[in-house]
Amino acid sequence: MFTSSISAVNAASLQVAAAAGNVANGTTPGYSSQRVDLATTAGGGVRAAGVTETGEPDLASDFVTFIEAGAAFKMNLKALKAQNEMLGYVLDLMA
C-alpha cells in the first residue's frame, strides 16, 4: 500500500515540475508546453507514463495542474502518514 501512495506523490511532483517549466518558459519563443501523462499500475497506484508536448503554453491549464497535483500530493502524503501510523500500531501489538 505504501508503494501506490509513493508512486502517486512522485507523479504529482513531475506534474508540478512540468507545469512550472511551462509557466517559466511561457514567453520563450518556440517553446512547446509539456504535460505529464499518467497511467495506473497493477498495484492500484499511478505512475508517469511519459511527457507529451502540447504546443503553445496555456497558463490557465498550468495553474489547474498546480492545484490538482498539489491536492493529489497532499492527499497521498496523508495516506502515507496514516499507513505509517497503522503499521506502528500493528508492530506495537506484536511486541
Side-chain angles (χ1 to χ4, degrees):
M1 192 151 186
F2 281 104
T3 56
S4 63
S5 292
I6 291 171
S7 67
V9 166
N10 289 334
S13 296
L14 291 173
Q15 284 183 301
V16 168
N22 293 341
V23 170
N25 294 298
T27 58
T28 304
Y31 179 76
S32 183
S33 184
Q34 297 180 342
R35 179 188 74 232
V36 176
D37 300 317
L38 302 178
T40 57
T41 62
V46 64
R47 65 176 176 81
V51 177
T52 302
E53 289 192 7
T54 59
E56 292 292 318
D58 178 8
L59 288 179
S61 176
D62 290 325
F63 281 108
V64 168
T65 299
F66 278 129
I67 293 167
E68 291 175 342
F73 192 90
K74 288 177 189 176
M75 178 183 63
N76 281 288
L77 284 180
K78 286 183 180 183
L80 281 169
K81 183 179 177 184
Q83 292 168 25
N84 189 40
E85 289 174 0
M86 287 189 296
L87 181 61
Y89 295 143
V90 169
L91 291 175
D92 287 345
L93 289 173
M94 294 175 68

